[in-house]
Amino acid sequence: MKRLIDLFKNKFFLCTVAFVVWMVFFDKNDLLSQYQYRQEVNGLKEQRDFYKTQNVKVARDLDELTSDPQKLEKFAREKYLMRKDNEDVFVVVKEK
């Protein structure tokens, strides 16, 4: 018990405890902020991976559309409802 009281009377120990408490709870980069930053970084990494895969997909589609006129025509008909002069377009929508 006396050793514990002597420890709390030691000014170096008290300064160290005060410093640790300050850094953990009150500093700009406290533990809660670090956790939130880590979550934000993980979310941004997931978005980055998603957009990388989307970028590859779009590049592949672009390559297909520029190299094959039939695929370009199919894409234009499906996406933009384009048609030839002597055709009628009927859009079928599936209900959920």
Side-chain angles (χ1 to χ4, degrees), residues 65 72-83 89 91:
L65 292 176
L72 179 62
E73 183 179 345
K74 179 182 176 188
F75 178 78
R77 287 173 179 266
E78 290 176 356
K79 185 81 172 174
Y80 297 109
L81 303 176
M82 291 185 173
R83 62 183 179 88
V89 177
V91 179

Side-chain angles (χ1 to χ4, degrees), residues 33-92:
S33 297
Q34 290 295 325
Y35 177 74
Q36 290 172 346
Y37 294 148
R38 180 75 55 193
Q39 294 297 322
E40 185 177 351
V41 166
N42 290 337
L44 290 173
K45 284 181 181 179
E46 289 175 7
Q47 284 184 355
R48 179 196 63 194
D49 294 339
F50 171 76
Y51 287 123
K52 279 184 178 181
T53 58
Q54 287 298 103
N55 193 14
V56 169
K57 181 181 173 188
V58 168
R60 187 176 353 103
D61 289 343
L62 179 64
D63 184 44
E64 287 178 1
L65 292 176
T66 55
S67 65
D68 189 6
Q70 291 175 342
K71 288 193 180 199
L72 179 62
E73 183 179 345
K74 179 182 176 188
F75 178 78
R77 287 173 179 266
E78 290 176 356
K79 185 81 172 174
Y80 297 109
L81 303 176
M82 291 185 173
R83 62 183 179 88
K84 294 181 181 177
D85 290 335
N86 59 353
E87 292 181 333
D88 291 327
V89 177
F90 298 99
V91 179
V92 179

Side-chain angles (χ1 to χ4, degrees), residues 5-26:
I5 292 173
D6 289 340
L7 187 62
F8 282 114
K9 286 183 179 179
N10 187 342
K11 63 182 174 182
F12 296 111
F13 176 76
L14 291 176
C15 286
T16 303
V17 168
F19 176 74
V20 168
V21 167
W22 179 265
M23 294 303 290
V24 170
F25 296 110
F26 301 113

